[in-house]
Amino acid sequence: MAREFTSVGVVGLGTMGAGIVEVFARNGVDVVAVEISGAALERGRATLTGSTDRAVAKGKLAEADRDALLSRVDFQVGLDALHSVDLVIEAVPEHLDLKQRIFAELDRVCKPEAILATNTSSLSVTEISVATTRPNQVIGIHFFNPAPVMKLVEVVRTVVTSADVVADVEALCKRLGKVDVTISDRAGFIANALLFGYLNHAVGMFESHYASREDIDAAMKLGCGLPMGPLALMDLIGLDTAYEILDTMYRRGGRDRRHAPVPLIKQMVTAGLLGRKSGRGFYTYERPGSPVVVPDEHTPVATESALADGTRGIMTVGVVGSGTMATGIIEVFAKAGYEVVSVTRGAEKSAKVFEAVKTSLNKGVVRGKLSEADRDAALGRINWSATLEHLADVDLVVEAVVEELSVKKALFASLDEICKPGVVLATTTSSLPVIDVAMATQRPADVVGLHFFNPAPIMPLIEVVQTIRTSAETTATAKAVCAALGKTGVVCGDRSGFIVNALLFPYLNDAVKMLEASYSTADDIDYAMKLGCGYPMGPFELLDVVGLDVSLAIQRELYLELREPGFAPAPLLEHLVTAGYLGRKTGRGFRDHTRR
């Protein structure tokens, strides 16, 4: 039988500590809430009452339940107040020496059978535990912010943590309505180990002026369905906190360069630009602590006149290709009012594309998203062809053929001869260098990447990829077209992976390496990222959907171009692809889909 925790102590009443107090008190557990001074104690009390008052105002907590909750909390100054509790959770700043001093004192104060827990997100639980005479009763209980809302708890055992202690804490998490994943003591645990490499990479993109803060954040929200963009998330976490976590992970985790904090982070911390809590980070906020972003000197001006300025008029669009992406792009342009010339390799291919577009539009009618008249008008705007010569008078050509450089270069060389001067030539490549395609023509200034996401009619993001030869007028025209399609166009340079894939696939690869090292299970890693970070899918769910062969090909391209050792494809991913386990499309990937 798991032990019954009737009273719990929480040390440190910042945002996280106050949230942990609320979690326990909501679930009927008496809490001794401890701070270092009377002023800090009152700030913690205010944080807790503010949170519970907001819950009442939103109808998520009855007034009587709030009053009962608050009555269970005993606010005290000093650790001596914790002499009789069954469990203590420490939630002070991420400094090892501070935590070790607190645990040494807790060891002296607390009753012999009490469990001592740390909420650290990056420090070694083992190094904290050795400050006590009871390391077998020390454990990590890592809540996620905001603790009352987030379902995940990482339970971190050291090599000497008692099995009974682990079992008791797991049972307690279930009592609190949390989903726990139990793991060993490794830098970053699951969620932070996967999250912070991605965040650091995003800051590096911004620091190098590869893309704007708005475009990086929009790309990851709209392209991956994430709840927040990486730079906005850094502001929420706090750049000082992020720096400490990255620095600790770098030192403890084998000195992986991708966890070495990007210099810009340290510079911003030194300058006091800590994110929301200071009112200024990557973005500027209404006031310190406010989530409301206000315009600053870096905010782009997005007006109709600005979009139209320096752009070419696009009336007729040619789409080359007959696959899923080409079909979706034809539909997108036709629905937006453009005249479309679809070019395939023959009448049979054109007939299949026509049926696919018609079927998709009919679904829109059935779902009430499109009228029958609009469907018929869209179909009426599409002209079907099997010859590139019919693209002689179009204003924009979008290529969506197979991802082979030789094929694309041959096509662009032909378009160069056929198309009129001033036409914008766009490739939808997701992995090949756009400049290689552009240099197959005599007009590289007119060539740009337009990377649509699948399915094109639904996904709201387009990456506008400019090469070093792309003219400003061509880029502006591409952005204006994205806006006319009702899509968000994000501008980036011609680098492997662009924004989304360059940030997404190293994270997925890291998850595979974590599984390969037997640190955790695929299920627990997926739970950690969905419940701890709010991701719509866990990494292994997503890999099976994307296709392991596709994922491996993208990861290889990133590694070959960037030569970052941490980007080398995980051997397990390569082995699964070799074995033919490619994900949902073959019935087996990281999971067996034939049994579901």
Side-chain angles (χ1 to χ4, degrees):
M1 289 287 292
R3 79 169 80 182
E4 183 70 21
F5 293 95
T6 57
S7 62
V8 170
V10 176
V11 180
L13 303 180
T15 303
M16 181 57 78
I20 294 170
V21 170
E22 183 176 340
V23 168
F24 281 102
R26 271 179 181 260
N27 287 277
V29 180
D30 291 334
V31 183
V32 180
V34 172
E35 260 294 358
I36 194 170
S37 67
L41 193 71
E42 288 311 307
R43 286 195 296 272
R45 189 197 303 268
T47 300
L48 176 62
T49 55
S51 175
T52 53
D53 286 348
R54 284 192 297 274
V56 170
K58 292 176 181 176
K60 296 182 177 180
L61 190 67
E63 288 190 22
D65 290 337
R66 175 200 58 195
D67 296 343
L69 183 162
L70 294 174
S71 71
R72 295 188 191 104
V73 184
D74 179 18
F75 290 92
Q76 296 287 341
V77 173
L79 299 178
D80 286 340
L82 301 171
H83 59 87
S84 61
V85 300
D86 303 313
L87 165 72
V88 178
I89 299 180
E90 161 274 312
V92 303
E94 289 283 272
H95 300 295
L96 181 61
D97 57 345
L98 171 62
K99 291 180 187 283
Q100 286 178 326
R101 287 199 305 273
I102 288 172
F103 271 73
E105 186 64 11
L106 290 173
D107 188 38
R108 182 189 67 79
V109 168
C110 294
K111 59 188 182 183
E113 64 272 25
I115 293 174
L116 307 182
T118 173
N119 184 60
T120 184
S121 59
S122 61
L123 297 173
S124 167
V125 178
T126 306
E127 289 184 41
I128 294 170
S129 74
V130 295
T132 75
T133 60
R134 55 177 106 177
N136 60 313
Q137 289 168 235
V138 176
I139 194 168
I141 304 180
H142 179 216
F143 288 82
F144 287 74
N145 194 29
V149 176
M150 300 300 281
K151 286 288 187 183
L152 181 73
V153 175
E154 289 177 322
V155 177
V156 187
R157 60 171 181 258
T158 73
V159 290
V160 296
T161 304
S162 162
D164 288 343
V165 169
V166 175
D168 290 341
V169 169
E170 289 174 337
L172 176 62
C173 289
K174 288 181 175 63
R175 176 183 169 188
L176 298 174
K178 302 293 185 183
V179 175
D180 67 279
V181 294
T182 300
I183 46 181
S184 57
D185 185 20
R186 194 175 97 169
F189 314 137
I190 296 176
N192 281 355
L194 295 180
L195 176 66
F196 276 86
Y198 151 72
L199 295 177
N200 202 38
H201 190 181
V203 176
M205 272 189 180
F206 176 71
E207 182 185 51
S208 65
H209 303 289
Y210 177 69
S212 71
R213 62 187 183 183
E214 288 84 2
D215 281 357
I216 292 170
D217 280 354
M220 298 313 291
K221 286 173 64 180
L222 300 178
C224 299
L226 303 187
M228 295 183 77
L231 302 181
L233 181 55
M234 286 284 282
D235 277 358
L236 175 63
I237 293 168
L239 272 71
D240 50 344
T241 301
Y243 179 84
E244 291 293 340
I245 291 172
L246 282 165
D247 187 53
T248 301
M249 285 174 55
Y250 175 72
R251 288 185 284 103
R252 285 190 60 211
R255 299 191 178 271
D256 185 332
R257 281 199 318 229
R258 289 173 310 121
H259 290 145
V262 170
L264 178 61
I265 301 175
K266 182 64 177 293
Q267 293 163 18
M268 293 176 72
V269 170
T270 304
L273 307 177
L274 307 182
R276 284 191 191 182
K277 59 188 172 188
S278 68
R280 183 84 184 254
F282 289 103
Y283 296 90
T284 300
Y285 298 87
E286 194 173 48
R287 61 182 180 279
S290 171
V292 179
V293 175
V294 296
D296 59 21
E297 66 272 22
H298 302 297
T299 303
V301 178
T303 64
E304 291 299 322
S305 59
L307 284 172
D309 187 36
T311 64
R312 303 173 198 172
I314 304 294
M315 304 296 291
T316 308
V317 178
V319 179
V320 183
S322 57
T324 302
M325 184 55 76
T327 302
I329 292 169
I330 290 166
E331 179 184 338
V332 167
F333 277 103
K335 281 198 299 189
Y338 289 93
E339 292 294 324
V340 180
V341 179
S342 166
V343 178
T344 67
R345 286 181 294 172
E348 188 178 337
K349 293 273 189 187
S350 290
K352 286 183 178 179
V353 175
F354 169 76
E355 287 301 324
V357 172
K358 185 177 176 182
T359 299
S360 180
L361 290 171
N362 282 334
K363 286 180 182 176
V365 173
V366 170
R367 292 170 182 163
K369 296 182 177 180
L370 197 67
S371 70
E372 290 187 11
D374 288 340
R375 173 200 62 196
D376 295 341
L379 285 171
R381 294 187 194 103
I382 307 171
N383 299 288
W384 306 96
S385 173
T387 175
L388 292 175
E389 278 70 21
H390 287 150
L391 300 176
D393 292 321
V394 301
D395 305 310
L396 164 67
V397 179
V398 180
E399 163 275 310
V401 300
V402 66
E403 280 284 274
E404 289 183 18
L405 186 57
S406 60
V407 175
K408 291 183 187 288
K409 288 174 72 172
L411 172 60
F412 271 71
S414 298
L415 293 174
D416 189 33
E417 294 178 4
I418 293 166
C419 295
K420 66 186 181 184
V423 67
V424 174
L425 303 178
T427 172
T428 60
T429 184
S430 60
S431 59
L432 299 173
V434 178
I435 189 64
D436 282 1
V437 177
M439 295 309 292
T441 75
Q442 299 300 311
R443 49 175 109 183
D446 295 331
V447 179
V448 70
L450 282 180
H451 179 217
F452 288 77
F453 287 74
N454 196 30
I458 295 172
M459 295 296 283
L461 181 72
I462 301 174
E463 289 177 318
V464 178
V465 186
Q466 55 186 1
T467 76
I468 55 174
R469 295 289 297 270
T470 305
S471 71
E473 183 185 25
T474 299
T475 301
T477 301
K479 279 216 70 173
V481 167
C482 294
L485 295 175
K487 307 283 190 184
T488 298
V490 297
V491 179
C492 59
D494 182 23
R495 202 170 75 183
S496 185
F498 310 140
I499 298 174
V500 173
N501 286 353
L503 292 177
L504 174 65
F505 282 89
Y507 146 75
L508 297 176
N509 196 51
D510 285 346
V512 179
K513 290 178 180 178
M514 187 177 279
L515 177 67
E516 190 174 46
S518 300
Y519 179 65
S520 189
T521 65
D523 285 345
D524 279 356
I525 294 170
D526 277 355
Y527 283 138
M529 299 314 293
K530 289 196 293 184
L531 301 179
C533 299
Y535 282 24
M537 300 178 78
F540 298 105
E541 288 178 282
L542 183 55
L543 281 160
D544 276 0
V545 168
V546 170
L548 274 62
D549 51 340
V550 174
S551 304
L552 178 59
I554 292 171
Q555 192 61 38
R556 280 175 173 162
E557 287 292 334
L558 289 170
Y559 178 55
L560 285 171
E561 180 167 318
L562 302 176
R563 306 299 173 107
E564 167 57 60
F567 284 179
L572 176 59
L573 182 60
E574 294 184 316
H575 295 166
L576 288 168
V577 172
T578 302
Y581 293 165
L582 308 183
R584 286 186 178 272
K585 59 189 173 187
T586 60
R588 175 80 183 265
F590 285 97
R591 294 186 174 89
D592 186 347
H593 300 281
T594 61
R595 299 178 183 177
R596 299 181 180 218

PDB file of all heavy atoms in Angstrom, residues 471-500:
ATOM      1  N   SER A 471      15.422  38.882 -56.195  1.00  0.00           N
ATOM      2  CA  SER A 471      15.240  40.330 -56.063  1.00  0.00           C
ATOM      3  C   SER A 471      14.218  40.644 -54.977  1.00  0.00           C
ATOM      4  O   SER A 471      13.348  39.823 -54.653  1.00  0.00           O
ATOM      5  CB  SER A 471      14.758  40.934 -57.390  1.00  0.00           C
ATOM      6  OG  SER A 471      13.418  40.557 -57.656  1.00  0.00           O
ATOM      7  N   ALA A 472      14.332  41.846 -54.413  1.00  0.00           N
ATOM      8  CA  ALA A 472      13.376  42.296 -53.395  1.00  0.00           C
ATOM      9  C   ALA A 472      11.965  42.335 -53.979  1.00  0.00           C
ATOM     10  O   ALA A 472      10.987  42.031 -53.282  1.00  0.00           O
ATOM     11  CB  ALA A 472      13.776  43.674 -52.877  1.00  0.00           C
ATOM     12  N   GLU A 473      11.852  42.690 -55.250  1.00  0.00           N
ATOM     13  CA  GLU A 473      10.552  42.761 -55.911  1.00  0.00           C
ATOM     14  C   GLU A 473       9.909  41.373 -55.993  1.00  0.00           C
ATOM     15  O   GLU A 473       8.704  41.205 -55.752  1.00  0.00           O
ATOM     16  CB  GLU A 473      10.706  43.336 -57.319  1.00  0.00           C
ATOM     17  CG  GLU A 473       9.393  43.515 -58.065  1.00  0.00           C
ATOM     18  CD  GLU A 473       9.606  43.975 -59.496  1.00  0.00           C
ATOM     19  OE1 GLU A 473      10.689  43.710 -60.062  1.00  0.00           O
ATOM     20  OE2 GLU A 473       8.677  44.576 -60.049  1.00  0.00           O
ATOM     21  N   THR A 474      10.717  40.362 -56.295  1.00  0.00           N
ATOM     22  CA  THR A 474      10.200  38.993 -56.374  1.00  0.00           C
ATOM     23  C   THR A 474       9.718  38.513 -55.004  1.00  0.00           C
ATOM     24  O   THR A 474       8.641  37.919 -54.883  1.00  0.00           O
ATOM     25  CB  THR A 474      11.287  38.040 -56.914  1.00  0.00           C
ATOM     26  OG1 THR A 474      11.661  38.459 -58.227  1.00  0.00           O
ATOM     27  CG2 THR A 474      10.790  36.605 -56.968  1.00  0.00           C
ATOM     28  N   THR A 475      10.510  38.784 -53.958  1.00  0.00           N
ATOM     29  CA  THR A 475      10.113  38.395 -52.603  1.00  0.00           C
ATOM     30  C   THR A 475       8.821  39.093 -52.194  1.00  0.00           C
ATOM     31  O   THR A 475       7.911  38.473 -51.635  1.00  0.00           O
ATOM     32  CB  THR A 475      11.230  38.721 -51.597  1.00  0.00           C
ATOM     33  OG1 THR A 475      12.424  38.028 -51.969  1.00  0.00           O
ATOM     34  CG2 THR A 475      10.836  38.319 -50.188  1.00  0.00           C
ATOM     35  N   ALA A 476       8.733  40.397 -52.464  1.00  0.00           N
ATOM     36  CA  ALA A 476       7.528  41.159 -52.128  1.00  0.00           C
ATOM     37  C   ALA A 476       6.314  40.618 -52.874  1.00  0.00           C
ATOM     38  O   ALA A 476       5.209  40.513 -52.306  1.00  0.00           O
ATOM     39  CB  ALA A 476       7.733  42.636 -52.441  1.00  0.00           C
ATOM     40  N   THR A 477       6.502  40.263 -54.135  1.00  0.00           N
ATOM     41  CA  THR A 477       5.400  39.709 -54.921  1.00  0.00           C
ATOM     42  C   THR A 477       4.939  38.377 -54.333  1.00  0.00           C
ATOM     43  O   THR A 477       3.736  38.118 -54.200  1.00  0.00           O
ATOM     44  CB  THR A 477       5.832  39.506 -56.385  1.00  0.00           C
ATOM     45  OG1 THR A 477       6.229  40.760 -56.927  1.00  0.00           O
ATOM     46  CG2 THR A 477       4.701  38.933 -57.224  1.00  0.00           C
ATOM     47  N   ALA A 478       5.902  37.529 -53.947  1.00  0.00           N
ATOM     48  CA  ALA A 478       5.563  36.230 -53.350  1.00  0.00           C
ATOM     49  C   ALA A 478       4.791  36.412 -52.054  1.00  0.00           C
ATOM     50  O   ALA A 478       3.802  35.708 -51.791  1.00  0.00           O
ATOM     51  CB  ALA A 478       6.838  35.425 -53.111  1.00  0.00           C
ATOM     52  N   LYS A 479       5.210  37.363 -51.220  1.00  0.00           N
ATOM     53  CA  LYS A 479       4.486  37.623 -49.968  1.00  0.00           C
ATOM     54  C   LYS A 479       3.074  38.120 -50.241  1.00  0.00           C
ATOM     55  O   LYS A 479       2.124  37.743 -49.550  1.00  0.00           O
ATOM     56  CB  LYS A 479       5.252  38.639 -49.109  1.00  0.00           C
ATOM     57  CG  LYS A 479       6.386  38.041 -48.312  1.00  0.00           C
ATOM     58  CD  LYS A 479       6.536  38.706 -46.947  1.00  0.00           C
ATOM     59  CE  LYS A 479       5.392  38.363 -46.009  1.00  0.00           C
ATOM     60  NZ  LYS A 479       5.597  38.848 -44.636  1.00  0.00           N
ATOM     61  N   ALA A 480       2.923  38.993 -51.245  1.00  0.00           N
ATOM     62  CA  ALA A 480       1.597  39.514 -51.589  1.00  0.00           C
ATOM     63  C   ALA A 480       0.691  38.394 -52.087  1.00  0.00           C
ATOM     64  O   ALA A 480      -0.509  38.365 -51.771  1.00  0.00           O
ATOM     65  CB  ALA A 480       1.723  40.610 -52.649  1.00  0.00           C
ATOM     66  N   VAL A 481       1.241  37.458 -52.836  1.00  0.00           N
ATOM     67  CA  VAL A 481       0.462  36.311 -53.305  1.00  0.00           C
ATOM     68  C   VAL A 481      -0.006  35.471 -52.113  1.00  0.00           C
ATOM     69  O   VAL A 481      -1.165  35.041 -52.057  1.00  0.00           O
ATOM     70  CB  VAL A 481       1.280  35.458 -54.297  1.00  0.00           C
ATOM     71  CG1 VAL A 481       0.612  34.103 -54.544  1.00  0.00           C
ATOM     72  CG2 VAL A 481       1.466  36.190 -55.615  1.00  0.00           C
ATOM     73  N   CYS A 482       0.885  35.226 -51.156  1.00  0.00           N
ATOM     74  CA  CYS A 482       0.508  34.467 -49.950  1.00  0.00           C
ATOM     75  C   CYS A 482      -0.680  35.137 -49.256  1.00  0.00           C
ATOM     76  O   CYS A 482      -1.641  34.460 -48.855  1.00  0.00           O
ATOM     77  CB  CYS A 482       1.684  34.364 -48.984  1.00  0.00           C
ATOM     78  SG  CYS A 482       3.072  33.393 -49.597  1.00  0.00           S
ATOM     79  N   ALA A 483      -0.615  36.464 -49.101  1.00  0.00           N
ATOM     80  CA  ALA A 483      -1.700  37.200 -48.450  1.00  0.00           C
ATOM     81  C   ALA A 483      -2.996  37.073 -49.242  1.00  0.00           C
ATOM     82  O   ALA A 483      -4.075  36.901 -48.669  1.00  0.00           O
ATOM     83  CB  ALA A 483      -1.307  38.663 -48.283  1.00  0.00           C
ATOM     84  N   ALA A 484      -2.887  37.144 -50.597  1.00  0.00           N
ATOM     85  CA  ALA A 484      -4.077  37.033 -51.436  1.00  0.00           C
ATOM     86  C   ALA A 484      -4.707  35.642 -51.334  1.00  0.00           C
ATOM     87  O   ALA A 484      -5.916  35.482 -51.517  1.00  0.00           O
ATOM     88  CB  ALA A 484      -3.716  37.346 -52.885  1.00  0.00           C
ATOM     89  N   LEU A 485      -3.898  34.640 -51.030  1.00  0.00           N
ATOM     90  CA  LEU A 485      -4.407  33.275 -50.861  1.00  0.00           C
ATOM     91  C   LEU A 485      -4.995  33.045 -49.469  1.00  0.00           C
ATOM     92  O   LEU A 485      -5.515  31.958 -49.187  1.00  0.00           O
ATOM     93  CB  LEU A 485      -3.270  32.263 -51.082  1.00  0.00           C
ATOM     94  CG  LEU A 485      -2.671  32.185 -52.493  1.00  0.00           C
ATOM     95  CD1 LEU A 485      -1.485  31.226 -52.496  1.00  0.00           C
ATOM     96  CD2 LEU A 485      -3.714  31.747 -53.509  1.00  0.00           C
ATOM     97  N   GLY A 486      -4.881  34.049 -48.606  1.00  0.00           N
ATOM     98  CA  GLY A 486      -5.351  33.883 -47.233  1.00  0.00           C
ATOM     99  C   GLY A 486      -4.370  33.090 -46.382  1.00  0.00           C
ATOM    100  O   GLY A 486      -4.736  32.566 -45.327  1.00  0.00           O
ATOM    101  N   LYS A 487      -3.122  33.015 -46.828  1.00  0.00           N
ATOM    102  CA  LYS A 487      -2.087  32.280 -46.099  1.00  0.00           C
ATOM    103  C   LYS A 487      -1.133  33.261 -45.415  1.00  0.00           C
ATOM    104  O   LYS A 487      -1.072  34.441 -45.769  1.00  0.00           O
ATOM    105  CB  LYS A 487      -1.276  31.404 -47.054  1.00  0.00           C
ATOM    106  CG  LYS A 487      -2.092  30.468 -47.937  1.00  0.00           C
ATOM    107  CD  LYS A 487      -2.596  29.260 -47.190  1.00  0.00           C
ATOM    108  CE  LYS A 487      -3.185  28.224 -48.143  1.00  0.00           C
ATOM    109  NZ  LYS A 487      -3.777  27.077 -47.411  1.00  0.00           N
ATOM    110  N   THR A 488      -0.374  32.759 -44.459  1.00  0.00           N
ATOM    111  CA  THR A 488       0.692  33.536 -43.839  1.00  0.00           C
ATOM    112  C   THR A 488       2.005  33.170 -44.509  1.00  0.00           C
ATOM    113  O   THR A 488       2.423  32.002 -44.478  1.00  0.00           O
ATOM    114  CB  THR A 488       0.782  33.248 -42.326  1.00  0.00           C
ATOM    115  OG1 THR A 488      -0.441  33.644 -41.705  1.00  0.00           O
ATOM    116  CG2 THR A 488       1.937  34.011 -41.695  1.00  0.00           C
ATOM    117  N   GLY A 489       2.656  34.141 -45.130  1.00  0.00           N
ATOM    118  CA  GLY A 489       3.948  33.916 -45.763  1.00  0.00           C
ATOM    119  C   GLY A 489       5.063  34.351 -44.834  1.00  0.00           C
ATOM    120  O   GLY A 489       5.070  35.489 -44.357  1.00  0.00           O
ATOM    121  N   VAL A 490       5.984  33.445 -44.530  1.00  0.00           N
ATOM    122  CA  VAL A 490       7.136  33.787 -43.689  1.00  0.00           C
ATOM    123  C   VAL A 490       8.388  33.747 -44.563  1.00  0.00           C
ATOM    124  O   VAL A 490       8.581  32.814 -45.343  1.00  0.00           O
ATOM    125  CB  VAL A 490       7.274  32.843 -42.476  1.00  0.00           C
ATOM    126  CG1 VAL A 490       6.066  32.978 -41.570  1.00  0.00           C
ATOM    127  CG2 VAL A 490       7.445  31.386 -42.898  1.00  0.00           C
ATOM    128  N   VAL A 491       9.215  34.772 -44.457  1.00  0.00           N
ATOM    129  CA  VAL A 491      10.377  34.909 -45.329  1.00  0.00           C
ATOM    130  C   VAL A 491      11.624  34.367 -44.635  1.00  0.00           C
ATOM    131  O   VAL A 491      11.875  34.673 -43.459  1.00  0.00           O
ATOM    132  CB  VAL A 491      10.601  36.381 -45.723  1.00  0.00           C
ATOM    133  CG1 VAL A 491      11.838  36.529 -46.610  1.00  0.00           C
ATOM    134  CG2 VAL A 491       9.371  36.929 -46.432  1.00  0.00           C
ATOM    135  N   CYS A 492      12.390  33.556 -45.354  1.00  0.00           N
ATOM    136  CA  CYS A 492      13.626  33.023 -44.789  1.00  0.00           C
ATOM    137  C   CYS A 492      14.646  32.843 -45.901  1.00  0.00           C
ATOM    138  O   CYS A 492      14.327  32.973 -47.085  1.00  0.00           O
ATOM    139  CB  CYS A 492      13.377  31.692 -44.075  1.00  0.00           C
ATOM    140  SG  CYS A 492      12.678  30.401 -45.120  1.00  0.00           S
ATOM    141  N   GLY A 493      15.876  32.556 -45.517  1.00  0.00           N
ATOM    142  CA  GLY A 493      16.938  32.351 -46.477  1.00  0.00           C
ATOM    143  C   GLY A 493      16.949  30.940 -47.031  1.00  0.00           C
ATOM    144  O   GLY A 493      16.244  30.049 -46.549  1.00  0.00           O
ATOM    145  N   ASP A 494      17.772  30.739 -48.039  1.00  0.00           N
ATOM    146  CA  ASP A 494      17.861  29.466 -48.757  1.00  0.00           C
ATOM    147  C   ASP A 494      18.840  28.546 -48.040  1.00  0.00           C
ATOM    148  O   ASP A 494      20.003  28.411 -48.421  1.00  0.00           O
ATOM    149  CB  ASP A 494      18.307  29.744 -50.199  1.00  0.00           C
ATOM    150  CG  ASP A 494      18.379  28.489 -51.042  1.00  0.00           C
ATOM    151  OD1 ASP A 494      17.704  27.505 -50.694  1.00  0.00           O
ATOM    152  OD2 ASP A 494      19.110  28.501 -52.045  1.00  0.00           O
ATOM    153  N   ARG A 495      18.342  27.924 -46.968  1.00  0.00           N
ATOM    154  CA  ARG A 495      19.174  27.042 -46.165  1.00  0.00           C
ATOM    155  C   ARG A 495      18.406  25.755 -45.923  1.00  0.00           C
ATOM    156  O   ARG A 495      17.183  25.781 -45.836  1.00  0.00           O
ATOM    157  CB  ARG A 495      19.511  27.736 -44.837  1.00  0.00           C
ATOM    158  CG  ARG A 495      20.739  27.200 -44.152  1.00  0.00           C
ATOM    159  CD  ARG A 495      21.139  28.077 -42.992  1.00  0.00           C
ATOM    160  NE  ARG A 495      20.268  27.918 -41.843  1.00  0.00           N
ATOM    161  CZ  ARG A 495      20.380  28.618 -40.714  1.00  0.00           C
ATOM    162  NH1 ARG A 495      21.286  29.558 -40.631  1.00  0.00           N
ATOM    163  NH2 ARG A 495      19.566  28.410 -39.708  1.00  0.00           N
ATOM    164  N   SER A 496      19.081  24.658 -45.801  1.00  0.00           N
ATOM    165  CA  SER A 496      18.432  23.363 -45.671  1.00  0.00           C
ATOM    166  C   SER A 496      17.386  23.366 -44.557  1.00  0.00           C
ATOM    167  O   SER A 496      17.663  23.770 -43.434  1.00  0.00           O
ATOM    168  CB  SER A 496      19.477  22.280 -45.380  1.00  0.00           C
ATOM    169  OG  SER A 496      18.896  21.008 -45.358  1.00  0.00           O
ATOM    170  N   GLY A 497      16.182  22.919 -44.894  1.00  0.00           N
ATOM    171  CA  GLY A 497      15.111  22.820 -43.912  1.00  0.00           C
ATOM    172  C   GLY A 497      14.293  24.078 -43.742  1.00  0.00           C
ATOM    173  O   GLY A 497      13.248  24.054 -43.104  1.00  0.00           O
ATOM    174  N   PHE A 498      14.808  25.213 -44.277  1.00  0.00           N
ATOM    175  CA  PHE A 498      14.137  26.504 -44.105  1.00  0.00           C
ATOM    176  C   PHE A 498      13.893  26.738 -42.605  1.00  0.00           C
ATOM    177  O   PHE A 498      14.804  26.525 -41.813  1.00  0.00           O
ATOM    178  CB  PHE A 498      12.859  26.578 -44.942  1.00  0.00           C
ATOM    179  CG  PHE A 498      13.068  26.166 -46.385  1.00  0.00           C
ATOM    180  CD1 PHE A 498      12.129  25.398 -47.058  1.00  0.00           C
ATOM    181  CD2 PHE A 498      14.233  26.507 -47.062  1.00  0.00           C
ATOM    182  CE1 PHE A 498      12.337  24.992 -48.375  1.00  0.00           C
ATOM    183  CE2 PHE A 498      14.449  26.127 -48.376  1.00  0.00           C
ATOM    184  CZ  PHE A 498      13.491  25.351 -49.032  1.00  0.00           C
ATOM    185  N   ILE A 499      12.699  27.182 -42.212  1.00  0.00           N
ATOM    186  CA  ILE A 499      12.462  27.402 -40.772  1.00  0.00           C
ATOM    187  C   ILE A 499      11.914  26.141 -40.117  1.00  0.00           C
ATOM    188  O   ILE A 499      12.505  25.578 -39.193  1.00  0.00           O
ATOM    189  CB  ILE A 499      11.481  28.572 -40.518  1.00  0.00           C
ATOM    190  CG1 ILE A 499      12.039  29.892 -41.053  1.00  0.00           C
ATOM    191  CG2 ILE A 499      11.197  28.699 -39.009  1.00  0.00           C
ATOM    192  CD1 ILE A 499      11.065  31.063 -40.965  1.00  0.00           C
ATOM    193  N   VAL A 500      10.775  25.679 -40.600  1.00  0.00           N
ATOM    194  CA  VAL A 500      10.027  24.625 -39.895  1.00  0.00           C
ATOM    195  C   VAL A 500      10.820  23.327 -39.809  1.00  0.00           C
ATOM    196  O   VAL A 500      11.031  22.789 -38.714  1.00  0.00           O
ATOM    197  CB  VAL A 500       8.661  24.387 -40.559  1.00  0.00           C
ATOM    198  CG1 VAL A 500       7.956  23.183 -39.925  1.00  0.00           C
ATOM    199  CG2 VAL A 500       7.781  25.624 -40.422  1.00  0.00           C
TER     200      VAL A 500
END
